[in-house]
Amino acid sequence: MSSPLIGVLALQGDVREHRAMLERAGARSLAVRRPREVEQVDALVMPGGESTTMTRLARTFDLLEPVAGRLREGLPAFGTCAGMILLADRIEAGVAGQETFGGLDVVVRRNAFGRQVDSFEADLDVVGLDRPFHAMFIRAPCVEKVGDGVEVVATVASGNRVGRIVAVRQAHLLATSFHPEITGDSRFHELFVDMVDGGRASADRSTTS
Ligand code: GLN
């Protein structure tokens, strides 16, 4: 099996850093700005940025429906920070009428840890990783509620609250509140590439049997 081609939604945010991490994790990468690029990829990363701007740009570039459609068909996706918001089925503290691609059965609260000054770093225990992951949170969202099919992958303590959910997985979808592309640790991207490879291997088996 050739290495998967993973798109990075290139409307805003750390596109170059995500592509570098994906390539370190053994995938090929493509900047995605057009509907035909959405059709080409085996999976998609949605970077951080400003979720309201990103959905507005996605609409302008005619990407909202094509991406939402591929997610419904099972396209693997990894959303980081604003990208987590874009994957969520429901948002709290969004702007009126804020749209998302959807697919992830969670409620996500925007700016859950406060404003820019409340950006922080933390070492997280992560399901599936043997050592803690150093995470950078920048005006980060957090997951307030998860549906039945959603696994909590990491939590963080903040202020007097413990167990705030900051990484989740649901079948082919992965999302983090933080920015794994900027700390030089590619283990989250490796987890995602493994998810994508696993899905492709089972699709191969079902077409050959
Ligand atoms: N606060 C931003 C939003 O709501 C997300 C911040 C980020 O991606 N670093 O879209």
Side-chain angles (χ1 to χ4, degrees):
M1 203 167 63
S2 61
S3 51
L5 179 64
I6 303 188
V8 180
L9 193 64
L11 300 171
Q12 200 193 27
D14 289 342
V15 177
R16 191 159 25 106
E17 290 81 354
H18 272 296
R19 291 188 63 180
M21 284 295 188
L22 288 168
E23 301 202 352
R24 245 170 80 175
R28 294 171 296 138
S29 76
L30 179 75
V32 168
R33 289 188 196 84
R34 296 180 186 83
R36 68 175 152 78
E37 291 155 351
V38 176
E39 293 312 314
Q40 263 172 277
V41 295
D42 298 310
L44 190 59
V45 169
M46 302 181 186
E50 181 57 47
S51 56
T52 53
T53 308
M54 287 169 85
T55 29
R56 199 162 345 105
L57 290 171
R59 188 160 278 305
T60 309
F61 284 75
D62 286 326
L63 288 175
L64 214 50
E65 289 312 323
V67 171
R70 284 218 63 196
L71 291 172
R72 279 194 298 273
E73 291 160 14
L75 181 73
F78 179 17
T80 63
C81 202
M84 170 191 259
I85 301 170
L86 295 183
L87 282 178
D89 281 342
R90 291 171 300 281
I91 317 176
E92 275 177 22
V95 299
Q98 182 170 349
E99 294 175 295
T100 68
F101 298 119
L104 187 60
D105 184 12
V106 295
V107 178
V108 166
R109 172 172 293 280
R110 290 182 66 214
N111 303 317
F113 301 95
R115 288 270 151 203
Q116 192 83 41
V117 286
D118 288 323
S119 296
F120 63 99
E121 302 181 21
D123 288 318
L124 306 178
D125 291 323
V126 177
V127 174
L129 298 185
D130 52 355
R131 293 174 282 112
F133 191 92
H134 188 70
M136 308 247 303
F137 295 84
I138 305 168
R139 286 181 302 126
C142 89
V143 174
E144 299 270 34
K145 282 195 198 123
V146 296
D148 288 341
V150 179
E151 181 189 9
V152 175
V153 173
T155 62
V156 74
S158 113
N160 55 5
R161 291 182 60 181
V162 293
R164 302 194 80 185
I165 301 169
V166 290
V168 291
R169 178 174 174 181
Q170 172 195 313
H172 57 290
L173 304 176
L174 180 67
T176 62
S177 299
F178 49 88
H179 287 264
E181 75 283 10
I182 53 179
T183 39
D185 184 341
S186 56
R187 287 178 296 159
F188 257 94
H189 291 78
E190 286 159 22
L191 274 181
F192 184 56
V193 172
D194 284 348
M195 279 167 60
V196 176
D197 279 339
R200 290 164 84 221
S202 50
D204 268 5
R205 274 197 301 278
S206 62
T207 51
T208 50
S209 61

